[in-house]
């Protein structure tokens, strides 16, 4: 059995601390690439800046995000982050629907069950990544239940270029190139990458090609920008392995001919104009097209799905004072139109979805040490195309407070009401009517610095009503539905970065969490696929002037199999892996060599339990493997 987010194709078919190496910086969290939307939000925001990204032994964006405490990235096949699931605050199988992914403040999260496409975003183009656990519903909208991940590209590029060739285990060969430059008020970047790999398992090959471009024009009072990205991918689907197969032949497959193809592109223009009185008008739009095709020879099913979307998101920002208080406010409107066309062995569907939302957010600096924020959003959604329009709407609110003591110690607390409307897969004719999911989330914590270390500690609790889940106990094949009783998600995360001396940096990120059903037939049961603990240790040592060493150790705790809402099957075992990477530099050239899963553990990141057959399938990740890259930068 394939996991649900692959089956979906077939069924339709902080405190604002940057982690710079030697200083603490206040970050202004932004709904776009511009950093002055509402100033520094009084939440537990964690920001990964360029220095932090460069120091990580990570080959793609998914691997970067997997290092963050409180955020889990589950990879089915472990090749380039394809089909990865990103989970803030422990939602398990529905993680992609409850964690909102943005690029420069604009939605990457899909309107179906497919995972967001992240492998086409080059790390070299990223200025920073803002992670808002348990926050962002009013500012960013539908689906920000566990929080928001906002990937922000660079605002201005210097003259540079680079080429890289890389390869490794499992017949992996790839390359990338980029060029950035600036001439007067104009700057930009272009990047291309390609990857060809046989994959760890049989029928696990991946072919991925992507291109990225970002152009910006700035002069006093105006900023214009245009971002474009395209990706084409072919992926073999090896399916799961039974316990016996996993022990005896983890690399094998029972689905040797199943595969999927997908291609997509994004076009994102924007214009920001400074107005009188410390106000600015931002006009942004986006055009996206995603095409996915699958062929499950093992079950005799085929299909193709095309999703086209157009978004227009104007907003007005301003700053004014009342007495000693400084207000940073934002008033915005989001208009999203989606066309969904699916032709599969299960039937054809042609749908249109329209989402309309307005929002208001205000951050108030009452004193240099005390700030508060409040925001509200109204969402209306209409799905048409199956004989009767389906209307869904919701109201979202959020607020927070932060007090900063002398010595860079800050305490923060926040609350939000979130809404998630059912996506087009969940609203299919195979499922009963589904109401919007609502949630109340609470966060509190502290951020502090002492000497050469800085850390963020965050506690969270979320109470979700009408949670939308796939219930395999309903009918012969299961069904998406609302739970009648709430679920409770709670936990604590620490993200801490220490400079032990001028050549050694240590990162300690960890979380302990619990997600359980509160009432109903699954009362007190664990939500599947939510690990009890996670931990990431990273040491970055500049051993010589020309040689650096990065070693990371990852631990993921026990969790229930996907589909085991009854908690009647055993848990997926915890696991740990260690990665080691060496980087040597000589003038403009560099050589990277790494060994991953150093201890050669058999690792399973995902497993699915069938209530019908009372059996489970496992999706193994690679054992010990190697990767090397040679590059030159100018």
């Amino acid at each position: 059995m394939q996991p649900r987010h692959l089956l979906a194709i077939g069924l339709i078919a902080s405190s604002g601390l940057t982690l710079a190496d030697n200083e603490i910086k206040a970050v202004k969290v932004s709904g776009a690439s511009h950093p002055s939307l509402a100033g520094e939000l009084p939440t537990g925001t964690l920001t990964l800046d360029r220095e932090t990204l460069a120091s990580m032994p990570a080959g793609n964006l998914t691997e970067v995000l997997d290092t963050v405490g409180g955020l889990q990235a589950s990879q089915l096949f472990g090749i380039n982050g394809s089909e990865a699931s990103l989970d803030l605050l422990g939602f398990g199988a529905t993680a992609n629907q409850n964690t909102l992914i943005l690029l420069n403040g604009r939605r990457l999260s899909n309107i179906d069950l497919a995972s967001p496409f992240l492998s086409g975003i080059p790390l070299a183009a990223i200025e920073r990544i803002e992670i808002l656990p348990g926050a962002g519903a009013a500012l960013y909208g539908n689906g920000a239940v566990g929080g928001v991940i906002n990937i922000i590209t660079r605002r201005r590029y210097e003259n540079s270029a680079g080429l890289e060739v890389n390869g490794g285990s499992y017949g992996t060969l790839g390359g990338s190139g980029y060029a950035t430059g600036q001439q007067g008020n104009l700057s930009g970047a272009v990047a291309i990458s390609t990857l060809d790999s046989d994959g760890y398992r049989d029928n696990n090959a991946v072919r991925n090609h992507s291109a990225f471009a970002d152009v910006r024009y700035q002069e006093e009072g105006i900023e214009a920008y245009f971002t474009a990205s395209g990706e084409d991918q072919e992926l073999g689907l090896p399916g799961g392995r039974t316990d016996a197969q996993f022990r005896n032949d983890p690399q094998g497959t029972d689905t040797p001919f199943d595969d999927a193809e997908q291609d997509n592109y994004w076009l994102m223009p924007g214009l920001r104009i400074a107005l009188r009185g410390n106000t600015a008008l931002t006009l942004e739009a986006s055009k996206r097209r995603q095409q996915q095709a699958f062929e499950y020879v093992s079950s005799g099913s085929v299909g193709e799905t095309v999703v086209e979307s157009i978004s227009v998101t104007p907003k007005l920002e301003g700053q004014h004072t009342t007495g000693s208080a400084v207000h940073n406010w934002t008033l915005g409107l989001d208009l999203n139109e989606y066309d969904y066309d699916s032709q599969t062995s299960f039937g054809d569907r042609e749908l249109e979805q329209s989402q309309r939302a307005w929002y208001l957010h205000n951050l108030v600096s009452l004193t240099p040490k005390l700030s508060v924020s409040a925001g509200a959003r109204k969402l209306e959604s209409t799905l048409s195309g199956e004989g009767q329009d389906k209307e869904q709407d919701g109201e979202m609110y959020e607020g927070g407070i932060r007090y900063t003591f002398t010595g860079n110690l800050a305490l923060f607390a926040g609350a939000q009401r979130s809404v998630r409307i059912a996506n087009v897969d969940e609203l299919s004719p195979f499922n009963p009517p589904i109401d919007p999911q609502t949630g109340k989330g609470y966060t509190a914590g502290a951020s502090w610095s002492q000497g050469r270390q800085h850390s963020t500690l965050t506690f969270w609790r979320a109470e979700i009503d009408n949670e939308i889940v796939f219930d395999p106990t309903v009918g012969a094949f299961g069904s998406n539905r609302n739970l009648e009783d709430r679920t409770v998600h709670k936990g604590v995360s620490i993200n801490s970065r220490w400079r032990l001396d001028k050549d050694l940096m240590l990162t300690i990120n960890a979380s302990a969490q619990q997600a359980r059903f509160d009432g109903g037939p699954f009362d007190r049961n664990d939500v599947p696929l939510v690990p009890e603990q996670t931990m990431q240790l990273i040491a970055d040592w500049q051993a010589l002037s020309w040689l650096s060493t990065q070693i990371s150790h990852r631990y993921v705790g026990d969790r229930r199999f996907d589909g085991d809402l009854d908690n009647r099957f055993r848990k997926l075992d915890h696991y740990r892996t260690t990665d080691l990477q060496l980087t040597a530099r000589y003038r403009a050239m560099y050589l990277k060599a790494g060994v991953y899963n150093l201890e050669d553990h058999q690792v399973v990141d995902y497993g699915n339990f069938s209530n019908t057959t009372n059996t489970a399938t496992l999706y193994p990740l690679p054992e010990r493997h190697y990767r090397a890259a040679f590059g030159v930068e100018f």
Side-chain angles (χ1 to χ4, degrees):
M1 175 181 291
Q2 300 289 348
R4 283 188 59 241
H5 56 282
L6 284 180
L7 261 182
I9 307 175
L11 290 177
I12 320 302
S14 176
S15 69
L17 293 182
T18 63
L19 304 183
D21 282 352
N22 55 9
E23 62 180 328
I24 303 293
K25 299 179 182 178
V27 172
K28 294 188 174 183
V29 178
S30 166
S33 57
H34 198 280
S36 61
L37 173 65
E40 187 184 335
L41 292 178
T43 65
T45 301
L46 179 70
T47 301
L48 307 179
D49 61 12
R50 286 191 57 77
E51 292 85 354
T52 303
L53 296 175
S55 70
M56 290 182 176
N60 57 64
L61 185 53
T62 299
E63 292 178 355
V64 167
L65 294 171
D66 197 32
T67 66
V68 177
L71 170 61
Q72 184 193 5
S74 297
Q75 302 188 54
L76 285 173
F77 309 122
I79 302 300
N80 69 331
S82 301
E83 301 293 339
S85 172
L86 301 176
D87 190 357
L88 267 172
L89 309 194
F91 284 85
T94 61
N96 284 329
Q97 287 72 56
N98 287 286
T99 301
L100 182 57
I101 313 298
L102 308 172
L103 178 63
N104 292 331
R106 286 178 273 186
R107 302 179 70 92
L108 291 184
S109 296
N110 297 308
I111 65 163
D112 56 7
L113 289 175
S115 301
F117 303 125
L118 300 181
S119 54
I121 304 174
L123 294 178
I126 298 176
E127 181 67 29
R128 65 186 186 275
I129 302 173
E130 298 168 345
I131 302 167
L132 286 71
L139 264 178
Y140 300 114
N142 173 46
V145 183
V148 173
I149 301 171
N150 191 12
I151 304 158
I152 298 173
T153 56
R154 301 171 67 176
R155 291 191 63 218
R156 187 170 182 84
Y157 297 93
E158 303 299 329
N159 295 327
S160 66
L163 291 172
E164 178 182 290
V165 292
N166 54 73
S169 303
Y170 317 122
T172 300
L173 183 63
S176 62
Y178 73 90
T180 67
Q182 63 89 19
Q183 180 68 42
N185 296 329
L186 184 67
S187 69
V190 292
I192 59 173
S193 66
T194 183
L195 175 70
D196 191 323
S197 176
D198 294 334
Y200 166 60
R201 298 179 55 197
D202 298 336
N203 189 35
N204 195 186
V206 59
R207 312 283 185 267
N208 194 92
H209 312 286
S210 65
F212 177 89
D214 193 25
V215 180
R216 298 182 176 272
Y217 177 84
Q218 299 178 62
E219 65 178 40
E220 185 174 354
I222 190 169
E223 179 180 2
Y225 41 94
F226 179 80
T227 304
S229 179
E231 184 176 16
D232 179 75
Q233 182 181 101
E234 300 175 10
L235 183 66
L237 304 177
R241 307 299 279 158
T242 65
D243 275 324
Q245 291 172 331
F246 174 65
R247 290 191 299 269
N248 298 322
D249 183 19
Q251 295 181 261
T253 179
D254 289 336
T255 60
F257 305 108
D258 291 4
D259 62 58
E261 299 179 9
Q262 58 188 24
D263 61 74
N264 65 86
Y265 68 80
W266 314 319
L267 305 174
M268 296 182 173
L271 178 66
R272 181 181 174 88
I273 305 170
L275 306 176
R276 294 182 178 179
N278 292 325
T279 61
L281 175 64
T282 300
L283 303 172
E284 294 180 329
S286 67
K287 165 69 175 177
R288 296 176 60 193
R289 186 180 190 275
Q290 306 164 68
Q291 181 177 7
Q292 304 174 74
F294 71 91
E295 184 175 9
Y296 293 154
V297 176
S298 59
S299 60
S301 57
V302 297
E304 181 179 18
T305 298
V306 177
V307 181
E308 296 189 77
S309 65
I310 297 177
S311 301
V312 180
T313 54
K315 62 187 173 186
L316 190 66
E317 302 167 282
Q319 183 182 90
H320 73 276
T321 59
T322 56
S324 61
V326 179
H327 298 259
N328 292 274
W329 55 268
T330 304
L331 176 64
L333 177 67
D334 291 350
L335 302 174
N336 299 282
E337 298 288 338
Y338 302 93
D339 288 329
Y340 178 92
D341 185 358
S342 177
Q343 299 179 0
T344 75
S345 304
F346 305 97
D348 299 342
R349 301 180 77 197
E350 292 186 17
L351 305 173
E352 295 181 359
Q353 186 178 62
S354 175
Q355 295 182 9
R356 306 161 298 279
W358 64 266
Y359 63 95
L360 175 65
H361 189 277
N362 188 23
L363 172 83
V364 186
S365 298
L366 299 174
T367 72
K369 294 185 176 182
L370 179 64
S371 61
V372 297
S373 69
R377 174 182 287 258
K378 173 67 175 179
L379 168 69
E380 297 177 347
S381 176
T382 303
L383 182 71
S384 58
E386 292 182 331
Q388 182 178 0
D389 291 351
K390 297 179 175 65
E391 303 285 345
Q392 292 187 308
D393 55 44
E395 296 178 353
M396 287 154 267
Y397 309 98
E398 65 178 313
I401 183 170
R402 184 183 64 221
Y403 186 83
T404 304
F405 297 89
T406 302
N408 285 329
L409 170 65
L411 300 180
F412 58 86
Q416 74 167 6
R417 182 184 193 270
S418 62
V419 171
R420 178 170 92 81
I421 61 173
N423 60 47
V424 294
D425 289 351
E426 294 163 331
L427 290 173
S428 76
F430 304 105
N431 301 318
I434 297 178
D435 296 324
Q437 168 188 305
T438 61
K440 297 177 182 178
Y442 310 93
T443 58
S447 64
W448 69 95
S449 63
Q450 183 178 3
R452 295 181 174 181
Q453 75 87 23
H454 37 100
S455 306
T456 301
L457 176 69
T458 303
F459 297 87
W460 74 81
R461 179 183 175 90
E463 300 171 355
I464 311 299
D465 293 315
N466 284 334
E467 183 160 358
I468 305 170
V469 300
F470 179 78
D471 186 350
T473 67
V474 175
F477 302 102
S479 177
N480 292 291
R481 70 176 183 92
N482 292 112
L483 293 178
E484 297 178 1
D485 299 279
R486 68 176 44 177
T487 56
V488 177
H489 306 250
K490 57 185 178 181
V492 57
S493 65
I494 178 72
N495 287 274
S496 185
R497 189 166 169 87
W498 300 63
R499 178 169 287 283
L500 302 182
D501 64 32
K502 65 182 182 68
D503 295 322
L504 181 60
M505 179 70 71
L506 178 64
T507 299
I508 305 173
N509 298 337
S511 68
Q513 59 189 350
Q514 182 185 83
R516 286 186 172 170
F517 301 103
D518 187 17
F522 311 121
D523 187 30
R524 299 183 181 276
N525 287 356
D526 295 327
V527 175
L529 294 182
V530 179
E532 298 170 354
Q533 301 92 20
T534 64
M535 180 181 67
Q536 186 91 21
L537 304 177
I538 304 174
D540 188 354
W541 179 36
Q542 190 68 40
L544 300 168
S545 60
W546 55 272
L547 178 66
S548 63
T549 302
Q550 300 90 26
I551 186 169
S552 66
H553 184 77
R554 179 185 188 229
Y555 172 83
V556 176
D558 297 340
R559 61 263 187 242
R560 295 288 179 179
F561 280 75
D562 189 9
D564 187 18
L565 279 66
D566 286 322
N567 285 188
R568 60 191 177 97
F569 197 67
R570 67 172 178 84
K571 292 183 178 181
L572 276 165
D573 293 334
H574 62 270
Y575 69 86
R576 62 184 74 241
T577 58
T578 301
D579 301 334
L580 173 65
Q581 179 174 287
L582 302 178
T583 303
R585 293 185 179 275
Y586 177 73
R587 296 183 178 179
M589 298 179 291
Y590 65 85
L591 175 66
K592 295 181 180 180
V595 54
Y596 306 88
N597 193 358
L598 185 64
E599 302 98 322
D600 201 24
H601 292 315
Q602 284 193 323
V603 174
V604 173
D605 217 18
Y606 176 85
N608 183 277
F609 175 71
S610 170
N611 284 266
T612 304
T613 62
N614 200 37
T615 59
T617 51
L618 308 169
Y619 288 74
L621 291 183
E623 298 163 26
R624 183 188 298 126
H625 57 289
Y626 306 90
R627 192 164 63 202
F630 174 77
V632 58
E633 295 176 325
F634 306 97

